[in-house]
Amino acid sequence: MGTKITFVTGNKHKFEEVSKLLETSVEGYEVIQSTKELSELQADSLEEVAKFKVNSVKTVIKPPYFIEDAGFFVDDVCKGFPGVYSSYVMKTIGYEGILKILGSTDQRKAHFESVIAYIDEYYQIRFFKGINEGAVELEARGKSGFGFDPIFISKDTPDRTFAELTMEEKNAISHRRRAMMKLIEFLNSKKNKSQSRSN
Ligand code: ITT
């Protein structure tokens, strides 16, 4: 039986990506979703938001568990906006609003960031970060994924937006994968250490 970890998220797409990723790339882990509502704080960095979110369910979720905070950053023209405001911008102006703001400028550099905050059985917090660099497309394309995926072209897959990739293809390169793999590496090294202590 695998090691069980709880992923607290109300976003079903994020949960699907993470569980698929664990299923296909790492053995020995089973991720369980909790949709317990996370409190969000408006802060300047994803790390601060992640810390607040992970602590907000400390009294109701049994560790080990993790949360993830992600954001879409339009680098030059928008100086990183929407970033920590990604959820709000998605709900209000949507990715169409970002396309309008950029118009036809050739300064289209953008990136996704993912920060995982993990709480271990002793309530110690650790952060793991993943980034994917790319650009904002001129128009939206593709039907898979979610959020800003239809307008983002990663440097790793330069002819297709994230929404034109299958979940497996996005999962092979995404910001979320890069953060998750750091968490898994950490969990594996912890497991190995405790096994060698008990030998
Ligand atoms: P939680 O319950 O896990 O907090 P959420 O939907 O509030 O889920 P975030 O705050 O982490 O998620 O993400 C902010 C927004 O950024 C999210 O609503 C999406 O619009 C966008 N986003 C995050 N990850 C993305 C991805 O992989 N592809 C496209 N857009 C993404």
Side-chain angles (χ1 to χ4, degrees), residues 8-11 14 17 38 40 53 68-71 86-87 90 112 146-149 170 175-176:
V8 191
T9 178
N11 184 321
K14 279 170 47 166
E17 284 187 10
L38 295 160
E40 291 216 22
K53 265 166 106 168
E68 190 239 13
D69 202 65
S86 295
S87 236
M90 195 63 212
F112 273 113
F146 67 102
F148 298 93
D149 283 345
K170 180 182 170 191
H175 47 301
R176 188 159 296 111

Side-chain angles (χ1 to χ4, degrees), residues 27 47 54 56 66-68 70 88 104 117 125 140 149 155 165 193:
E27 273 183 26
E47 284 83 353
V54 84
S56 76
F66 65 95
I67 62 94
E68 190 239 13
Y88 181 69
S104 58
I125 306 181
D149 283 345
K155 278 186 185 162
L165 305 178
K193 269 189 216 144

Side-chain angles (χ1 to χ4, degrees), residues 66-82:
F66 65 95
I67 62 94
E68 190 239 13
D69 202 65
F72 181 57
F73 295 74
V74 181
D75 296 312
D76 297 325
V77 174
C78 298
K79 310 277 185 264
F81 181 83

Side-chain angles (χ1 to χ4, degrees), residues 21 25-26 176-185:
L21 199 159
S25 343
V26 208
R176 188 159 296 111
R177 183 211 172 80
R178 289 173 181 160
M180 273 306 291
M181 292 318 281
K182 288 183 190 166
L183 167 65
I184 296 300
E185 224 171 84

Side-chain angles (χ1 to χ4, degrees), residues 21-139:
L21 199 159
L22 287 180
E23 216 175 86
T24 52
S25 343
V26 208
E27 273 183 26
Y29 289 95
E30 189 188 335
V31 60
I32 297 155
Q33 182 178 17
S34 161
T35 53
K36 189 71 68 193
E37 185 134 3
L38 295 160
S39 303
E40 291 216 22
L41 147 108
Q42 210 58 72
D44 293 340
S45 70
L46 291 186
E47 284 83 353
E48 282 174 79
V49 179
K51 187 174 174 188
F52 189 84
K53 265 166 106 168
V54 84
N55 279 326
S56 76
V57 287
K58 230 176 177 172
T59 55
V60 284
I61 305 277
K62 192 171 166 281
Y65 70 87
F66 65 95
I67 62 94
E68 190 239 13
D69 202 65
F72 181 57
F73 295 74
V74 181
D75 296 312
D76 297 325
V77 174
C78 298
K79 310 277 185 264
F81 181 83
V84 291
Y85 306 101
S86 295
S87 236
Y88 181 69
V89 165
M90 195 63 212
K91 275 186 232 142
T92 52
I93 60 174
Y95 60 69
E96 297 87 351
I98 299 291
L99 290 178
K100 274 201 192 120
I101 292 169
L102 290 193
S104 58
T105 179
D106 57 3
Q107 289 180 45
R108 310 190 75 85
K109 218 163 127 324
H111 70 275
F112 273 113
E113 265 180 48
S114 157
V115 172
I116 289 173
Y118 169 79
I119 295 239
D120 70 13
E121 52 277 48
Y122 307 105
Y123 288 92
Q124 192 170 349
I125 306 181
R126 285 198 173 73
F127 297 96
F128 304 91
K129 186 168 180 163
I131 294 181
N132 191 288
E133 304 270 1
V136 178
E137 241 315 9
L138 282 165
E139 56 183 19

